[in-house]
């Protein structure tokens, strides 16, 4: 089914449409017709190496034609030689290459005949070449004198052109040729004059026939060149040669064309061929050849000369090349000339060829035949291969025309027109078929056609009829001819339906009729849905080295699914189905995946879908983004002392515009090979004025930046050196540091290398005591510090530092105030007093020392204290000092972490950056009693069914006089439910056990024991246990306690328990919990919890852990008496401190008793608290 894109047309009414079918459609073979030559051979060469030679002649006609041949104008019997092989119903024959076949050479013509007429072929020439050979001959040597002209004749044998001739020696080396020695077009070797060096005995002429695959050699020729016979033998050889040359010198003489041809000659050349004009001259000195066109102008394309100017060559000769050409051979002795009169001729060519056709009875016939050529060709008419006899021919005949009127069936014939001149013959045939038949519809009946919506449909109805038939088309059951906007009837009977729609589907009929008869066929048309494509994403932008997936979504008619094909193209070239570039580009049906995208992947990707009826395309423009290419061609201009203009050419931006250019520099003195950023240029500017520093040898490079990233740097520019200058600035950050009291060390930030501005950089340092009228002290230094000794302690000085180099000084420097070295304070604080807040906390007050006694910048005060004795046992303690530091000017502080019921001594000292001064006189104070710590243990010694015996240890620290113990217990179970708390007061402070009765059998209890002083009770120790069942304990104990196996079992249980306790202890040290701890968390002691909340506030860990973070509430006493104190009241340990604004930045530290916690120096204070 043929399909075209839909086009808009004009309204056409299809009624009876007369078709001229004779010229449009080839006559079907089922119709009687004249023979027509369909294939024939042309000039053919019978090469000796071929096995056979085929002479072709094929023809068609009805009845089947018979074939005859002529050779050289005479009948040729194909059965006359057994080496000729023929084929039935064919004029082609094959000549087998056996024996002598020269007799087959000639011009053949094929005649194809049937009862209606005869067709003839053009002449077919068969050339049977002989094997070229040089004759065996004895060639006499040539003995000539120096300066003579010589011709060595080749006389090559005849053979199939082209012919190539070479002159070589016996070693197959070419004979050198030049203006003096050259070869003519016929192959002879010409010497304009000979020299002694031309003497040799192996001049060989080789003739090569490429088409015959043959090279033949002529017998070697000998040339002997001697001196002039009459030369003076007494003279030197050179003198003889010179004399000989003088005698032999002569003006040029043309050897080709020979003098016998006269001063001019005529040359005929075929139009379109090659014109070769040749002049070869002899003479001494060697003549020079030149060419000129005497009549008319030389061709527009200057003709080329060959063979050292001796041959004029013009390719593709035209009529304009006709005229007279003159060659001139000249030397100092004279000249010789010859004129060539060139005539351009051409073989016959058709102007009008006779055209045959199908004619109906009663019509008229006119055949025209016109040809041109030079000479003018003669025209001969033939009828069925034989010359027409005007006496018997019923029509009119002239040189250029034949006419017949009222054609009848018997007028069918083959007319031939033959045009001939001396350059060739051309033949044209015209088959005149006079027929009278009803229409033949050549298109099969019931053809099914299909197309898609919007395309054109073509329903064929190929008809042959004579007379010509009328054609009309109808649709479905209608008998009316089709008449609508988009219907068109073509000349060949085809119905074209443009811009089809679904309603165009249906059955169509083609009707053809003439005066002889009538025929019809039907055709069915189906209209399918058009294929639609969408490629997503439409125009993706992807970064180089990333991946992209293109998907082609297609919709097509279900009837076309078997023919549906999908392919991908990039920039018009189809991509192979298999993965390409090692799997980087993968095509999988409707997807195209590109990994590691390259810049060359950018382009238009087109998805092409094709079915048997239509083709659809959809495309996506893939844009690859990448960093820019490096800038190029850096140029410097506008050179100034402190600036230069840099220009460059931007590299490719790779689809992301350059938004910034970074200009970097490198200098080869201070930091060679190190590139530093100089300035940034916004946008896509490609020039910038660069600010420069003096005394720097710069080179620059540029980095382009776009949204993807930075390009590689450009190649560096040429170097640009700026002249030196005085410094533009002075050092900064001038400060005074001193390690000794009577010393002042002045320091500053040195100038950077690019701030030096010149050689010989030094620093001029000036200083004087502030407030004292005196001259400035000055000193020049090269380093960036200056130490001055023997100055008063901690005195303010005015200081200036100025940069100086070999070209001058920097600007006037600013004055900086600095102090000479500090010494430790020489006075102690006075009025030290202590206010005891509670058993672990005290507040200290003091009076600061005078400012002049600080001898430096006051940093703060240090409080030193130590425990002297315990008031519980009266024992004195070795003094272990503790220190807290209070920053800034203040006169009070808080000391936490004291031991209850103890006596302490305390001193205060001031400190500066040099150290701390003398301590104040010691002040002593006492802390009151506190609550005891937790008893060391609580154990169950014996369990009975309704009682239990408990034992406990003394508290770790009593923190006062013990007044007794509080024993508590309650029923617990495996859930969160607990029973009521029961209390037992143990008034005997020395009691360490208790028998508790009145318990329930088979019940789990939790027991608590707290130690108490006059200040209250401490944290409880706990234990859990299960009473025995009713009536089981005694029986079991009496029955098995004396058995050996029971004792062994108890020992094993004891060992296992010890192992489990060891494991639990290890886990607890690593941060884990064991079951008892979990039960304590599950069933907390309410009373202990209330006490903990009262003393520690938000702190929720056991007393074994140090208190971290805030100290907002140490215990109830602090809340009651010290709420007005803030954290700023607490000092710092040796590794920490409080800021002046009260924020805690240190930790309590110093020498501690056993159980205290060392400071870690972190930003969290840690104090040992004892309940």
């Amino acid at each position: 089914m043929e399909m075209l894109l839909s086009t808009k047309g004009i309204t056409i009414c299809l009624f009876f449409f007369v078709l001229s079918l004779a010229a449009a459609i080839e006559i079907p073979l089922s119709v009687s017709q004249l023979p027509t030559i369909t294939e024939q051979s042309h000039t053919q060469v019978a090469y000796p190496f071929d096995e056979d030679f085929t002479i072709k002649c094929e023809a068609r006609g009805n009845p089947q034609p018979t074939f005859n041949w002529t050779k050289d104008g005479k009948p040729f019997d194909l059965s006359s030689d057994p080496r000729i092989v023929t084929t039935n119903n064919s004029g082609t024959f094959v000549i087998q290459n056996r024996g002598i076949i020269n007799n087959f050479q000639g011009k053949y013509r094929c005649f194809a005949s049937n009862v209606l007429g005869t067709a003839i072929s053009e002449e077919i020439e068969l050339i049977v070449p002989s094997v070229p050979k040089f004759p065996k001959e004895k060639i006499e040597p040539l003995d000539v004198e120096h300066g003579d002209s010589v011709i060595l004749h080749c006389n090559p044998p005849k053979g199939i052109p082209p012919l190539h001739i070479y002159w070589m020696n016996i070693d197959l080396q070419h004979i050198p040729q030049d203006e003096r020695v050259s070869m003519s077009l016929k192959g002879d070797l010409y010497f304009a004059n000979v020299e002694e060096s031309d003497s040799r005995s192996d001049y060989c002429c080789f003739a090569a026939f490429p088409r015959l695959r043959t090279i033949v050699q002529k017998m070697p020729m000998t040339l002997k060149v001697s001196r002039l016979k009459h030369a003076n033998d007494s003279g030197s050889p050179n003198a003889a040669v010179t004399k000989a040359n003088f005698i032999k010198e002569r003006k040029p003489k043309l050897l080709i064309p020979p003098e016998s041809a006269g001063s001019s000659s005529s040359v005929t050349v075929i139009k379109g061929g090659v014109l070769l004009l040749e002049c070869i001259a002899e003479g001494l000195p060697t003549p020079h050849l030149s060419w000129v066109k005497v009549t008319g102008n030389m061709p527009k394309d200057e003709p080329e000369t060959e063979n050292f100017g001796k041959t004029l060559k013009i390719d593709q000769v035209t009529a304009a090349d006709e005229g007279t050409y003159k060659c001139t051979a000249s030397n100092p002795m004279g000249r010789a000339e010859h004129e060539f009169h060139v005539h351009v001729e051409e073989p016959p060519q058709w102007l009008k060829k006779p055209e045959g056709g199908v004619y109906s009875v009663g019509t008229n016939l006119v055949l025209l035949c016109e040809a041109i050529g030079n000479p003018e060709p003669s025209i001969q008419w033939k009828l069925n291969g034989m010359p027409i006899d005007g006496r018997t021919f019923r029509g009119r005949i002239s040189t250029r025309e034949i006419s017949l009127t009222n054609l009848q069936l018997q007028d069918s014939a083959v007319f031939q027109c033959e045009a001939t001149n001396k350059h060739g013959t051309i033949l044209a045939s015209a088959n005149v078929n006079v027929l009278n038949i009803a229409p033949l519809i050549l298109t099969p009946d019931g053809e099914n056609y299909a197309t898609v919506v919007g395309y054109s449909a073509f329903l064929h109805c190929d008809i042959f009829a004579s007379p010509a038939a009328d054609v009309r088309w109808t649709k479905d059951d209608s008998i009316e001819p089709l008449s609508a906007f988009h219907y068109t009837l073509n000349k060949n009977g085809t119905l074209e339906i443009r811009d089809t729609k679904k309603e165009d589907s249906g059955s169509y009929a083609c009707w053809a009729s003439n005066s002889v008869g009538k025929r019809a066929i039907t055709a069915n048309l189906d209209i399918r849905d058009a294929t639609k494509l969408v490629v997503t994403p439409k125009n993706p932008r992807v970064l180089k080295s990333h991946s992209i997936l293109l998907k082609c979504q297609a919709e097509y008619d279900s009837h076309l699914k078997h023919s549906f094909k999908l392919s991908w193209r990039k920039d018009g070239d189809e991509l192979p189905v298999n993965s390409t570039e090692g799997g980087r580009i993968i095509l999988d049906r409707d997807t195209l995946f590109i990994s590691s995208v390259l810049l060359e992947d950018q382009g238009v990707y087109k998805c092409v879908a094709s079915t048997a009826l239509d083709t659809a395309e959809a495309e996506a423009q893939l844009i690859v983004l990448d960093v820019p290419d490096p800038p190029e061609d850096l140029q410097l201009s506008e050179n100034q002392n402190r600036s230069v203009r840099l220009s460059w050419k931007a590299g490719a931006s790779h689809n992301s515009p350059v938004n910034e250019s970074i200009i970097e520099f490198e200098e080869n003195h201070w930091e060679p090979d190190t590139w530093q950023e100089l300035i940034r240029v916004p946008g896509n500017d490609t020039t910038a004025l660069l600010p420069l520093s003096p005394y720097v040898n710069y080179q620059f490079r540029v980095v382009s930046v776009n949204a993807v990233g930075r390009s590689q740097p450009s190649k560096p520019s040429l170097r640009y050196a700026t002249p030196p200058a005085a410094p533009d600035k002075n050092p900064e950050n001038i400060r005074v540091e001193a390690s000794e009291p009577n010393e002042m060390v002045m320091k500053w930030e040195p100038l950077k290398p690019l701030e030096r501005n010149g050689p010989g950089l030094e620093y001029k340092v000036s200083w004087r005591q502030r407030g004292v009228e005196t001259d400035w002290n000055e000193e020049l230094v090269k380093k960036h510090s200056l130490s001055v000794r023997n100055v008063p302690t901690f005195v303010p000085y005015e200081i200036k530092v100025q940069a100086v180099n070999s070209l001058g000084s920097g600007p006037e420097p600013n004055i900086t105030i600095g102090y000479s070295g500090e010494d430790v304070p020489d006075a102690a604080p006075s009025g030290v007093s202590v206010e005891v807040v509670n058993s672990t906390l005290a507040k200290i007050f003091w009076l600061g020392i005078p400012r002049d006694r600080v001898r430096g910048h006051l940093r703060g005060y240090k409080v030193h204290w130590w425990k002297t004795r315990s008031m519980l046992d009266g024992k004195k303690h070795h003094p272990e000092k503790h220190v807290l530091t209070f920053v800034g000017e203040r006169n009070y502080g808080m000391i936490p972490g004291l031991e209850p019921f103890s006596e302490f001594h305390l001193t205060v000292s001031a400190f500066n950056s040099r150290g701390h001064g003398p301590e104040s006189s010691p002040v002593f104070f006492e802390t009151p009693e506190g609550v005891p710590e937790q008893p060391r243990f609580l154990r169950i010694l014996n369990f009975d069914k309704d009682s239990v015996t408990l034992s406990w240890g003394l508290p770790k620290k009593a923190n006062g006089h013990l007044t007794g113990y509080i024993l508590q217990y309650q029923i617990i179970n495996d859930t969160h439910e607990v029973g009521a708390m029961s209390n037992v007061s143990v008034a005997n402070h020395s009691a360490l056990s208790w028998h508790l009765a009145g318990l329930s059998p088979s019940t789990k209890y939790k027991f608590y024991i707290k130690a108490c002083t006059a200040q209250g009770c401490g944290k409880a120790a706990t234990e859990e246990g299960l009473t025995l069942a009713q009536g089981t304990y005694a029986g079991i104990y009496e029955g098995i306690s004396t058995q050996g196996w029971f004792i062994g079992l108890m020992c094993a249980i004891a060992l296992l328990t010890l192992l489990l306790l060891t494991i639990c202890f290890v886990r607890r040290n690593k941060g884990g919990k064991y079951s008892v701890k979990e039960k304590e968390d599950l069933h907390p002691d309410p009373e202990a919890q209330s006490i903990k909340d009262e003393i520690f506030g938000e702190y929720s860990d056991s007393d074994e852990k140090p208190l971290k973070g805030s100290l907002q509430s140490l215990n109830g006493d602090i809340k009651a008496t010290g709420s007005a104190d803030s954290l700023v009241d607490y000092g710092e340990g040796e590794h920490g401190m409080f800021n002046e604004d009260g924020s805690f930045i240190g930790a309590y530290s110093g020498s501690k008793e056993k159980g205290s916690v060392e400071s870690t120096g972190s930003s969290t204070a840690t104090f040992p608290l004892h309940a």
Side-chain angles (χ1 to χ4, degrees), residues 4-10 454-456 485-486 496-499:
L4 296 173
L5 292 176
S6 60
T7 57
K8 298 213 177 269
I10 60 174
Y455 279 60
S456 293
F485 169 76
H486 62 307
E496 179 183 357
I497 308 174
R498 291 170 294 156
D499 194 17

Side-chain angles (χ1 to χ4, degrees), residues 99-153:
I100 299 173
I101 60 173
N102 291 345
N103 58 313
F104 288 111
Q105 179 164 308
K107 294 181 179 180
Y108 294 80
R109 175 163 281 173
C110 173
F111 293 77
S113 305
N114 64 12
V115 294
L116 299 177
T118 302
I120 62 174
S121 71
E122 296 179 1
E123 281 191 334
I124 305 169
E125 183 177 8
L126 177 63
I127 301 173
V128 182
S130 59
V131 177
K133 293 181 180 179
F134 279 104
K136 290 185 178 181
E137 58 183 330
K138 182 178 181 182
I139 303 175
E140 296 295 330
L142 284 177
D143 192 353
V144 297
E145 295 180 353
H146 190 284
D148 289 344
S149 68
V150 172
I151 303 175
L152 298 182
H153 294 283

Side-chain angles (χ1 to χ4, degrees), residues 6 451-457 486 497-502 504 525 527:
S6 60
T451 189
V452 296
V453 174
Y455 279 60
S456 293
H486 62 307
I497 308 174
R498 291 170 294 156
D499 194 17
T500 56
K501 303 176 180 59
K502 282 285 189 179
D504 290 322
L525 177 62
I527 307 297

